[in-house]
Short mmCIF file of all heavy atoms in Angstrom, two decimals:
data_model
loop_
_atom_site.label_atom_id
_atom_site.label_comp_id
_atom_site.label_asym_id
_atom_site.label_seq_id
_atom_site.Cartn_x
_atom_site.Cartn_y
_atom_site.Cartn_z
N PRO A 1 -0.13 -3.78 17.47
CA PRO A 1 -1.29 -4.65 17.52
C PRO A 1 -1.38 -5.41 16.29
O PRO A 1 -0.76 -5.07 15.22
CB PRO A 1 -2.42 -3.57 17.67
CG PRO A 1 -1.77 -2.37 18.23
CD PRO A 1 -0.34 -2.42 17.67
N GLU A 2 -2.26 -6.30 16.26
CA GLU A 2 -2.52 -7.09 15.04
C GLU A 2 -3.12 -6.26 13.77
O GLU A 2 -3.93 -5.42 14.09
CB GLU A 2 -3.43 -8.28 15.12
CG GLU A 2 -3.45 -9.27 14.05
CD GLU A 2 -4.39 -10.40 14.24
OE1 GLU A 2 -5.60 -10.07 14.69
OE2 GLU A 2 -3.94 -11.53 14.06
N PHE A 3 -2.56 -6.39 12.64
CA PHE A 3 -3.04 -5.64 11.52
C PHE A 3 -3.12 -6.53 10.31
O PHE A 3 -2.72 -7.76 10.22
CB PHE A 3 -2.00 -4.60 11.17
CG PHE A 3 -0.64 -5.04 10.79
CD1 PHE A 3 -0.16 -5.43 9.64
CD2 PHE A 3 0.19 -5.02 11.93
CE1 PHE A 3 1.05 -5.83 9.36
CE2 PHE A 3 1.60 -5.44 11.74
CZ PHE A 3 1.91 -5.88 10.42
N ARG A 4 -3.74 -6.02 9.22
CA ARG A 4 -3.82 -6.76 8.07
C ARG A 4 -2.64 -6.30 7.02
O ARG A 4 -2.47 -5.06 6.91
CB ARG A 4 -5.11 -6.52 7.32
CG ARG A 4 -5.44 -7.56 6.17
CD ARG A 4 -6.93 -7.46 5.68
NE ARG A 4 -7.31 -8.50 4.70
CZ ARG A 4 -8.37 -8.51 4.03
NH1 ARG A 4 -9.26 -7.57 4.23
NH2 ARG A 4 -8.60 -9.55 3.29
N ALA A 5 -1.92 -7.14 6.55
CA ALA A 5 -0.80 -6.73 5.65
C ALA A 5 -1.33 -6.36 4.28
O ALA A 5 -2.23 -7.04 3.76
CB ALA A 5 0.28 -7.83 5.64
N SER A 6 -0.65 -5.35 3.77
CA SER A 6 -0.89 -4.89 2.43
C SER A 6 0.37 -4.37 1.76
O SER A 6 1.23 -3.96 2.45
CB SER A 6 -1.95 -3.70 2.39
OG SER A 6 -2.21 -3.20 1.14
N TYR A 7 0.54 -4.59 0.50
CA TYR A 7 1.80 -4.32 -0.31
C TYR A 7 2.99 -4.68 0.47
O TYR A 7 3.80 -4.08 1.00
CB TYR A 7 1.86 -2.71 -0.40
CG TYR A 7 0.81 -2.22 -1.33
CD1 TYR A 7 -0.35 -1.58 -0.76
CD2 TYR A 7 1.01 -2.13 -2.71
CE1 TYR A 7 -1.29 -1.03 -1.64
CE2 TYR A 7 0.03 -1.72 -3.62
CZ TYR A 7 -1.12 -1.14 -3.09
OH TYR A 7 -2.03 -0.62 -3.93
N VAL A 8 3.10 -6.07 0.48
CA VAL A 8 4.07 -6.77 1.24
C VAL A 8 5.43 -6.98 0.45
O VAL A 8 5.44 -7.61 -0.52
CB VAL A 8 3.56 -8.21 1.63
CG1 VAL A 8 4.60 -8.92 2.47
CG2 VAL A 8 2.26 -8.05 2.54
N PHE A 9 6.42 -6.38 0.98
CA PHE A 9 7.81 -6.55 0.46
C PHE A 9 8.70 -6.75 1.70
O PHE A 9 9.59 -6.00 2.18
CB PHE A 9 8.23 -5.19 -0.19
CG PHE A 9 7.46 -4.91 -1.44
CD1 PHE A 9 6.35 -4.15 -1.32
CD2 PHE A 9 7.82 -5.34 -2.63
CE1 PHE A 9 5.56 -3.82 -2.39
CE2 PHE A 9 7.08 -5.06 -3.75
CZ PHE A 9 5.97 -4.25 -3.72
N LEU A 10 8.68 -8.09 2.06
CA LEU A 10 9.40 -8.56 3.26
C LEU A 10 10.62 -9.41 2.88
O LEU A 10 11.58 -9.54 3.59
CB LEU A 10 8.57 -9.37 4.26
CG LEU A 10 7.39 -8.57 4.75
CD1 LEU A 10 6.61 -9.43 5.71
CD2 LEU A 10 7.78 -7.25 5.53
N PHE A 11 10.59 -10.14 1.75
CA PHE A 11 11.63 -11.00 1.22
C PHE A 11 12.49 -10.40 0.17
O PHE A 11 13.62 -10.59 0.03
CB PHE A 11 11.06 -12.33 0.81
CG PHE A 11 10.37 -13.23 1.82
CD1 PHE A 11 9.12 -12.92 2.31
CD2 PHE A 11 11.13 -14.07 2.48
CE1 PHE A 11 8.48 -13.68 3.25
CE2 PHE A 11 10.65 -14.94 3.48
CZ PHE A 11 9.26 -14.66 3.93
N GLN A 12 11.90 -9.42 -0.51
CA GLN A 12 12.64 -8.73 -1.56
C GLN A 12 12.24 -7.19 -1.25
O GLN A 12 11.09 -6.83 -0.99
CB GLN A 12 12.21 -8.96 -2.94
CG GLN A 12 12.68 -10.45 -3.38
CD GLN A 12 14.22 -10.53 -3.39
OE1 GLN A 12 14.92 -9.61 -3.59
NE2 GLN A 12 14.73 -11.80 -3.32
N PRO A 13 13.15 -6.12 -1.40
CA PRO A 13 12.77 -4.85 -1.14
C PRO A 13 11.99 -4.32 -2.33
O PRO A 13 12.00 -4.76 -3.43
CB PRO A 13 14.22 -4.15 -1.10
CG PRO A 13 15.03 -4.97 -1.96
CD PRO A 13 14.68 -6.44 -1.74
N ARG A 14 11.23 -3.24 -1.96
CA ARG A 14 10.41 -2.55 -2.98
C ARG A 14 11.23 -1.62 -3.71
O ARG A 14 11.90 -0.70 -3.11
CB ARG A 14 9.19 -1.91 -2.35
CG ARG A 14 8.24 -1.24 -3.26
CD ARG A 14 7.03 -0.73 -2.68
NE ARG A 14 6.03 -0.32 -3.54
CZ ARG A 14 4.75 0.11 -3.25
NH1 ARG A 14 4.32 0.18 -1.91
NH2 ARG A 14 3.91 0.45 -4.14
N SER A 15 11.25 -1.74 -5.04
CA SER A 15 12.20 -0.75 -5.77
C SER A 15 11.69 0.73 -5.75
O SER A 15 10.50 0.92 -5.63
CB SER A 15 12.09 -1.21 -7.22
OG SER A 15 10.96 -1.22 -7.85
N ASN A 16 12.64 1.54 -5.69
CA ASN A 16 12.40 3.00 -5.69
C ASN A 16 13.04 3.59 -6.74
O ASN A 16 14.26 3.71 -6.81
CB ASN A 16 12.67 3.67 -4.35
CG ASN A 16 12.11 5.03 -4.12
OD1 ASN A 16 11.91 5.74 -5.06
ND2 ASN A 16 11.88 5.38 -2.84
N LYS A 17 12.38 4.15 -7.81
CA LYS A 17 12.97 4.70 -9.08
C LYS A 17 13.32 6.14 -8.90
O LYS A 17 13.83 6.76 -9.76
CB LYS A 17 11.99 4.52 -10.17
CG LYS A 17 11.81 3.01 -10.51
CD LYS A 17 10.92 2.76 -11.67
CE LYS A 17 10.67 1.29 -12.00
NZ LYS A 17 9.78 1.08 -13.19
N LYS A 18 12.96 6.77 -7.69
CA LYS A 18 13.28 8.13 -7.53
C LYS A 18 14.77 8.35 -7.34
O LYS A 18 15.50 7.55 -6.68
CB LYS A 18 12.69 8.82 -6.30
CG LYS A 18 11.09 8.76 -6.44
CD LYS A 18 10.45 9.42 -5.14
CE LYS A 18 9.01 9.44 -5.31
NZ LYS A 18 8.25 9.96 -4.04
N PRO A 19 15.37 9.37 -8.07
CA PRO A 19 16.84 9.65 -7.92
C PRO A 19 17.34 9.75 -6.51
O PRO A 19 16.69 10.57 -5.67
CB PRO A 19 17.07 10.93 -8.76
CG PRO A 19 15.89 10.98 -9.67
CD PRO A 19 14.77 10.44 -8.92
N GLY A 20 18.42 9.08 -6.08
CA GLY A 20 18.98 9.15 -4.80
C GLY A 20 18.28 8.27 -3.77
O GLY A 20 18.66 8.35 -2.53
N LYS A 21 17.15 7.70 -4.10
CA LYS A 21 16.33 6.94 -3.17
C LYS A 21 16.68 5.41 -3.30
O LYS A 21 16.88 4.89 -4.39
CB LYS A 21 14.84 7.09 -3.40
CG LYS A 21 14.36 8.47 -3.17
CD LYS A 21 14.55 8.94 -1.77
CE LYS A 21 13.94 10.36 -1.55
NZ LYS A 21 14.00 10.82 -0.30
N THR A 22 16.82 4.76 -2.19
CA THR A 22 17.17 3.31 -2.19
C THR A 22 15.92 2.41 -1.99
O THR A 22 14.87 2.90 -1.46
CB THR A 22 18.15 2.95 -0.94
OG1 THR A 22 17.47 3.22 0.23
CG2 THR A 22 19.44 3.73 -1.13
N SER A 23 15.98 1.19 -2.43
CA SER A 23 14.85 0.28 -2.38
C SER A 23 14.80 -0.11 -0.87
O SER A 23 15.80 -0.28 -0.25
CB SER A 23 15.18 -0.98 -3.17
OG SER A 23 15.28 -0.56 -4.57
N LYS A 24 13.56 -0.32 -0.35
CA LYS A 24 13.28 -0.60 0.97
C LYS A 24 12.40 -1.87 1.12
O LYS A 24 11.57 -2.16 0.44
CB LYS A 24 12.62 0.46 1.71
CG LYS A 24 13.37 1.91 1.69
CD LYS A 24 14.20 2.04 2.79
CE LYS A 24 14.80 3.52 2.79
NZ LYS A 24 15.63 3.69 4.06
N TYR A 25 12.66 -2.64 2.18
CA TYR A 25 11.75 -3.62 2.68
C TYR A 25 10.57 -2.99 3.34
O TYR A 25 10.94 -2.03 4.22
CB TYR A 25 12.32 -4.59 3.62
CG TYR A 25 13.51 -5.46 2.95
CD1 TYR A 25 14.86 -4.92 3.02
CD2 TYR A 25 13.19 -6.56 2.33
CE1 TYR A 25 15.81 -5.74 2.42
CE2 TYR A 25 14.20 -7.40 1.75
CZ TYR A 25 15.57 -7.00 1.72
OH TYR A 25 16.57 -7.72 1.18
N CYS A 26 9.31 -3.29 3.12
CA CYS A 26 8.33 -2.69 3.78
C CYS A 26 7.03 -3.46 3.69
O CYS A 26 6.98 -4.45 3.00
CB CYS A 26 8.09 -1.14 3.20
SG CYS A 26 7.74 -1.39 1.29
N CYS A 27 6.03 -2.81 4.43
CA CYS A 27 4.72 -3.48 4.34
C CYS A 27 3.75 -2.46 5.02
O CYS A 27 3.91 -1.86 5.96
CB CYS A 27 4.78 -4.75 5.31
SG CYS A 27 3.15 -5.55 5.67
N ASN A 28 2.58 -2.36 4.34
CA ASN A 28 1.52 -1.46 4.93
C ASN A 28 0.78 -2.17 6.12
O ASN A 28 0.34 -3.31 5.83
CB ASN A 28 0.47 -1.13 3.78
CG ASN A 28 1.07 -0.14 2.80
OD1 ASN A 28 2.30 -0.02 2.59
ND2 ASN A 28 0.18 0.58 2.10
N MET A 29 0.86 -1.57 7.16
CA MET A 29 0.23 -2.16 8.29
C MET A 29 -1.23 -1.52 8.50
O MET A 29 -1.39 -0.39 8.88
CB MET A 29 0.97 -1.96 9.63
CG MET A 29 2.35 -2.40 9.60
SD MET A 29 3.28 -2.34 11.26
CE MET A 29 3.17 -0.53 11.58
N VAL A 30 -2.19 -2.26 8.05
CA VAL A 30 -3.57 -1.76 7.87
C VAL A 30 -4.35 -2.15 9.18
O VAL A 30 -4.77 -3.33 9.17
CB VAL A 30 -4.28 -2.27 6.58
CG1 VAL A 30 -5.67 -1.62 6.52
CG2 VAL A 30 -3.45 -1.90 5.37
N PHE A 31 -4.58 -1.28 9.99
CA PHE A 31 -5.20 -1.58 11.32
C PHE A 31 -6.71 -1.53 11.22
O PHE A 31 -7.39 -0.52 10.61
CB PHE A 31 -4.78 -0.65 12.44
CG PHE A 31 -3.26 -0.74 12.68
CD1 PHE A 31 -2.41 0.12 12.17
CD2 PHE A 31 -2.72 -1.75 13.47
CE1 PHE A 31 -1.00 0.08 12.44
CE2 PHE A 31 -1.38 -1.90 13.79
CZ PHE A 31 -0.56 -0.98 13.15
N PRO A 32 -7.45 -2.54 11.77
CA PRO A 32 -8.94 -2.39 11.89
C PRO A 32 -9.46 -1.20 12.56
O PRO A 32 -8.77 -0.65 13.32
CB PRO A 32 -9.36 -3.69 12.53
CG PRO A 32 -8.09 -4.66 12.41
CD PRO A 32 -6.94 -3.72 12.30
N VAL A 33 -10.56 -0.73 12.07
CA VAL A 33 -11.15 0.45 12.72
C VAL A 33 -11.24 0.33 14.20
O VAL A 33 -11.79 -0.84 14.61
CB VAL A 33 -12.48 0.84 12.01
CG1 VAL A 33 -13.15 1.94 12.75
CG2 VAL A 33 -12.34 1.13 10.58
N GLY A 34 -10.83 1.24 14.95
CA GLY A 34 -11.06 1.18 16.40
C GLY A 34 -9.83 0.59 17.12
O GLY A 34 -9.82 0.46 18.39
N THR A 35 -8.78 0.03 16.29
CA THR A 35 -7.62 -0.51 17.09
C THR A 35 -6.89 0.49 17.93
O THR A 35 -6.77 1.76 17.50
CB THR A 35 -6.56 -0.96 15.96
OG1 THR A 35 -7.23 -1.90 15.06
CG2 THR A 35 -5.35 -1.62 16.53
N ASP A 36 -6.49 0.17 19.10
CA ASP A 36 -5.80 1.06 20.04
C ASP A 36 -4.39 1.11 19.63
O ASP A 36 -3.57 0.23 19.70
CB ASP A 36 -5.90 0.52 21.46
CG ASP A 36 -5.42 1.34 22.56
OD1 ASP A 36 -4.70 2.36 22.18
OD2 ASP A 36 -5.56 1.13 23.76
N LEU A 37 -3.97 2.30 19.09
CA LEU A 37 -2.50 2.51 18.61
C LEU A 37 -1.74 3.40 19.58
O LEU A 37 -0.82 3.97 19.25
CB LEU A 37 -2.55 3.29 17.22
CG LEU A 37 -3.38 2.44 16.16
CD1 LEU A 37 -3.28 3.20 14.84
CD2 LEU A 37 -2.85 1.09 15.92
N THR A 38 -2.19 3.44 20.85
CA THR A 38 -1.51 4.24 21.86
C THR A 38 0.04 3.94 21.96
O THR A 38 0.75 4.73 21.99
CB THR A 38 -2.17 4.06 23.31
OG1 THR A 38 -3.52 4.33 23.22
CG2 THR A 38 -1.50 4.89 24.21
N VAL A 39 0.36 2.63 21.96
CA VAL A 39 1.78 2.26 22.11
C VAL A 39 2.60 2.80 20.94
O VAL A 39 3.71 3.29 21.23
CB VAL A 39 1.90 0.81 22.15
CG1 VAL A 39 1.58 0.09 20.92
CG2 VAL A 39 3.31 0.31 22.63
N LEU A 40 2.02 2.89 19.77
CA LEU A 40 2.78 3.46 18.59
C LEU A 40 2.79 4.88 18.60
O LEU A 40 3.91 5.54 18.34
CB LEU A 40 2.14 2.87 17.29
CG LEU A 40 2.22 1.37 16.98
CD1 LEU A 40 1.27 0.97 15.95
CD2 LEU A 40 3.72 1.13 16.43
N LYS A 41 1.69 5.50 18.94
CA LYS A 41 1.66 6.96 19.05
C LYS A 41 2.52 7.55 20.12
O LYS A 41 3.10 8.64 19.95
CB LYS A 41 0.14 7.42 19.15
CG LYS A 41 -0.73 7.11 17.94
CD LYS A 41 -2.08 7.53 17.97
CE LYS A 41 -2.97 7.19 16.83
NZ LYS A 41 -4.32 7.76 16.83
N LYS A 42 2.65 6.78 21.30
CA LYS A 42 3.44 7.26 22.31
C LYS A 42 4.98 7.15 21.89
O LYS A 42 5.84 7.95 22.25
CB LYS A 42 3.21 6.40 23.54
CG LYS A 42 4.16 6.82 24.87
CD LYS A 42 3.92 8.05 25.29
CE LYS A 42 4.39 8.41 26.68
NZ LYS A 42 5.88 8.23 26.74
N ALA A 43 5.27 6.12 21.18
CA ALA A 43 6.65 6.02 20.73
C ALA A 43 6.98 7.19 19.77
O ALA A 43 8.02 7.68 19.84
CB ALA A 43 6.84 4.64 20.08
N ALA A 44 6.06 7.57 18.85
CA ALA A 44 6.24 8.61 17.91
C ALA A 44 6.45 9.90 18.72
O ALA A 44 7.31 10.72 18.47
CB ALA A 44 5.16 8.68 16.99
N TYR A 45 5.57 10.22 19.69
CA TYR A 45 5.56 11.37 20.46
C TYR A 45 6.92 11.48 21.20
O TYR A 45 7.53 12.52 21.24
CB TYR A 45 4.46 11.22 21.48
CG TYR A 45 4.49 12.32 22.58
CD1 TYR A 45 3.97 13.61 22.32
CD2 TYR A 45 5.04 12.20 23.82
CE1 TYR A 45 3.92 14.66 23.23
CE2 TYR A 45 5.05 13.14 24.81
CZ TYR A 45 4.54 14.47 24.51
OH TYR A 45 4.59 15.38 25.46
#
């Protein structure tokens, strides 16, 4: 579903300084209160 983007690292990966960890492309998907997340929760299940 539609979300608000936060901490956007889509063009360059976000650096990870922890030993053995690699930098990742990522983005916080911040869903408005009440958003139906059934499709995501079913996939996780």
Side-chain angles (χ1 to χ4, degrees):
E2 188 180 56
F3 58 85
R4 197 172 187 187
S6 174
Y7 292 98
V8 179
F9 294 87
L10 302 180
F11 291 86
Q12 294 291 336
R14 185 174 190 173
S15 62
N16 193 328
K17 297 182 180 180
K18 294 180 180 180
K21 300 294 184 180
T22 60
S23 299
K24 302 271 191 178
Y25 295 91
C26 58
C27 172
N28 289 22
M29 305 189 301
V30 184
F31 297 98
V33 176
T35 300
D36 186 349
L37 300 181
T38 300
V39 66
L40 288 162
K41 295 182 178 184
K42 180 60 168 60
Y45 172 83

